[in-house]
Structure formats: structure tokens, C-alpha cells
Amino acid sequence: MFDTPPEGEWEGLTKAMEGGNDWVDYILADAHEDFPRYPLDVGVPGNLPLVNFPEISMWGNWPWGGVGANPLPARFQRLWNQVKHVVSGGFPYSEGIYEDMNKTIIAQFYWTPERSARDTLKEYIAYEFGDGAIEETVALVDALEMAATRSYTKQPVDVGLVRTARELADNVHEKMPAWARTSWRWEILCLRAILDYERFAGEGLTAPEAERALERLMEIYHCEMETDDPYHHRVRPPLARAVSRRGNL
């Protein structure tokens, strides 16, 4: 259930439950932004378990994952704070490996509701990238999330911010152990910093460095340069010479 804007779905479901709830196991609900108010303010219809549906993939993204990793820890912490006292779990919506950090943060919320997204992020960084530059990597994630948020909400993206993100990515890369530098998890985060710089402070996605970054993302994602699939462009990095022979839907 979404019911945003409100159309009376929650009230209607509550009324339907007055005759019994043995035909339902749980209610799945969420919204594109703040969680629906009805189950928080009035209660869950039929006193059933409530599970959420976190949108970890598409928000602020087009194509989905097209410019690399999309870490959004602050966003998910804010949304989790609204529902952690009422939900019994959830179904995170995944479109690909680019939201690996988001998957981890959301899964940890279900496992340990009071643990912060920031704590989970630090543990993720230490495990996946080594413990030599945890705070710098957190700062990189913060900068990428801020740029994504401003872009999605149609606000100017701070050029200094994306420059800082690019510098942080370079600095962290030098401090990482060799095994972490070649990890796809690090690559998609680092490529995001490169592509954000080119999009907002550089020469755009047709610049040579941006094209190299997009090509590498296509390799990591196993995308096709030419395809007959009219939906492939939704998850394929926006490389100018990539072709959808049957058009895009």
C-alpha cells in the first residue's frame, strides 16, 4: 500500500478488516518519500504485522545505476526512524549491484533496529575496503549522497563538493590494500566520484574520462553495447554510442 496522496485506502482496508483478518498474513506499505501516516498515527489495519518496501535502487537515479554506486545512508536513516517501532521487516527493492551499500544498511536495520546507518557503513567499509581510510570513505559517501540529493531535488550541485569527492576517492584508493582496489564494490563507488565530477564540474558524460568510466561500469554490470531489448537502457550506463536497435521503452 502507498496511498500517497491519500485516497482512503487505509480507511477502506481497516473497514474490510472489521470482519476478520484471517485472509491476510501481513501488510506491505511504503511511499516514495515519507512513510504513510495512517499506520503510524492510527495503527495497522487488523493489527497485522507491517513490513516496509524501501526503494533503494531508483531514487535519484537515471538510468538506474547508470553512474555507479548510489549510497544514501542519511536518507535511509531518516526514513527508518519513522517506522522502526512499527515494522516487522521489509522487502528492499533491488535493481542491481550498484546499491550494495544500501542493501547492507537496510538489512542491518531489520537485524538490529537501533544500530545507525553510519555504524553499519563504517563496518561495511572496514570489511570491504580495509580499515586504512574509514573516515575518508565515509566523507566520500556523504559527498556523493549530498550531490545526488541536490540533483534529484533540482537544486544546484556544489562544484566544490564533487571536486572534494573526486579527491577523496583518489586519496582513499592510494591507502587501500591491493585486494580492495580491484573490488567491484570499490570500483563502482570510485567511478561514481569520477562521473559526478564530469557531470557537474567537468565536460559532461561525453568527456574522455567519463566515457572510460561508463565503459567500465558496463563491463562490471555485464551490459550490452548493442541490444534489441527496448528496456535495457534503463539499467545501462548512458554511454553515447550504446545502441538500442528497437528503440527505448
Side-chain angles (χ1 to χ4, degrees):
M1 292 186 63
F2 290 88
D3 202 27
T4 49
E7 295 180 348
E9 291 182 1
W10 287 101
E11 291 83 354
L13 184 58
T14 297
K15 185 174 182 179
M17 293 286 181
E18 290 175 357
N21 66 3
D22 57 350
W23 51 281
V24 183
D25 294 319
Y26 57 83
I27 294 174
L28 183 149
D30 220 309
H32 295 295
E33 294 297 337
D34 291 332
F35 199 80
R37 292 305 314 175
Y38 188 96
L40 304 179
D41 297 337
V42 180
V44 182
N47 293 315
L48 288 163
L50 179 69
V51 295
N52 70 343
F53 188 64
E55 207 293 84
I56 64 175
S57 301
M58 297 179 181
W59 191 91
N61 261 323
W62 184 259
W64 305 321
V67 289
N70 71 327
L72 300 168
R75 170 179 168 78
F76 293 123
Q77 184 68 66
R78 178 179 67 81
L79 295 174
W80 179 246
N81 288 344
Q82 297 176 7
V83 302
K84 63 184 179 182
H85 60 293
V86 295
V87 297
S88 300
F91 286 82
Y93 181 82
S94 175
E95 285 283 355
I97 62 173
Y98 62 89
E99 13 87 326
D100 194 66
M101 280 187 175
N102 297 339
K103 286 188 183 86
T104 304
I105 288 167
I106 294 295
Q108 185 65 66
F109 282 154
Y110 299 142
W111 187 261
T112 311
E114 295 303 325
R115 191 175 191 196
S116 71
R118 207 162 192 83
D119 282 349
T120 301
L121 177 62
K122 289 180 179 180
E123 184 176 355
Y124 178 102
I125 291 167
Y127 184 82
E128 298 292 352
F129 307 146
D131 59 4
I134 293 175
E135 293 301 330
E136 284 178 278
T137 310
V138 169
L140 168 60
V141 168
D142 287 345
L144 294 176
E145 178 171 15
M146 190 175 299
T149 300
R150 293 190 67 83
S151 175
Y152 182 73
T153 55
K154 311 300 183 186
Q155 300 179 67
V157 175
D158 184 348
V159 171
L161 184 70
V162 294
R163 286 199 179 105
T164 296
R166 177 65 191 275
E167 292 168 1
L168 284 167
D170 290 342
N171 292 341
V172 170
H173 188 80
E174 292 303 315
K175 296 178 181 179
M176 295 175 74
W179 57 263
R181 292 179 187 176
T182 57
S183 161
W184 64 262
R185 289 177 171 86
W186 170 246
E187 279 200 82
I188 63 174
L189 189 67
C190 190
L191 291 169
R192 178 58 179 260
I194 292 170
L195 289 166
D196 272 9
Y197 176 81
E198 293 297 342
R199 288 196 297 163
F200 302 121
E203 299 177 8
L205 294 182
T206 57
E209 187 168 20
E211 289 202 335
R212 287 192 293 272
L214 293 171
E215 288 172 357
R216 180 56 186 146
L217 280 176
M218 289 184 67
E219 292 173 355
I220 294 170
Y221 296 165
H222 299 283
C223 289
E224 298 179 7
M225 186 67 73
E226 296 185 11
T227 181
D228 291 325
D229 183 352
Y231 297 98
H232 192 54
H233 71 290
R234 299 186 181 193
V235 293
R236 180 175 61 191
L239 188 64
R241 64 178 182 277
V243 176
S244 295
R245 288 185 290 261
R246 295 174 59 188
N248 295 328
L249 293 176

